[in-house]
Amino acid sequence: TETAKSLEILQSVRDPRDTRSSLLGVVHFTCTKAGGRFLRSELLQPPSDEATILIRQEAVKTLLEKPEAMSTLQDILGRIANVDTIITYCVSVPRQGQNVCSIVAQQLESLLSLQSCMKMLPILEKCLSEFQNSRLIKTF
């Protein structure tokens, strides 16, 4: 939209190819592709109700109060692959003319990646226990 362009939310007005000078470029420190998509979406359509804003502020405060746990959480999330893409590859059906063997190989590779992600869940759960009594866990 014109407002997003004027506010330089996604890209610079001076150089549309320069995303680093935009608001997104300045605050984008997400560890996953899903987190990046969520951030982009929230910048374009931020919440307007006070309750959601206050809950998110409390979640940020909780993270900032426990920098070591936050750093560990970021590391864990960074090691978890893009699950959306993995699942898409797992269920992809070969189109006519596609090499079935390469599709099956890709699916097997995706299943192994999914297995690696699943192995990270107990580690993630343990890390999140650091925030057990906080609004952060209740939010997500």
Side-chain angles (χ1 to χ4, degrees), residues 1-14 44:
T1 66
E2 286 303 313
T3 303
K5 286 180 185 177
S6 297
L7 294 174
E8 299 186 64
I9 293 176
L10 300 178
Q11 61 191 32
S12 169
V13 172
R14 289 177 293 286
L44 289 172

Side-chain angles (χ1 to χ4, degrees), residues 8 10 16 20 26 35 80 93 99 104 113-114 125 130 140:
E8 299 186 64
L10 300 178
R20 293 174 299 170
V26 171
I80 296 176
V93 178
N99 184 339
V104 170
S113 294
L114 189 57
E125 182 180 34
E130 294 272 336
F140 301 102

Side-chain angles (χ1 to χ4, degrees), residues 49-103:
D49 64 294
E50 184 179 6
T52 301
I53 293 167
L54 292 174
I55 287 170
R56 289 184 180 179
Q57 287 176 338
E58 184 67 30
V60 169
K61 179 182 173 192
T62 300
L63 289 168
L64 293 174
E65 288 172 346
K66 299 183 179 227
E68 289 178 19
M70 183 178 78
S71 178
T72 302
L73 180 60
Q74 288 174 317
D75 180 56
I76 293 167
L77 290 173
R79 290 190 277 152
I80 296 176
N82 189 357
V83 177
D84 296 348
T85 303
I86 292 171
I87 291 173
T88 299
Y89 284 136
C90 286
V91 298
S92 63
V93 178
R95 292 185 299 254
Q96 191 169 0
Q98 272 189 308
N99 184 339
V100 175
C101 290
S102 67
I103 296 293

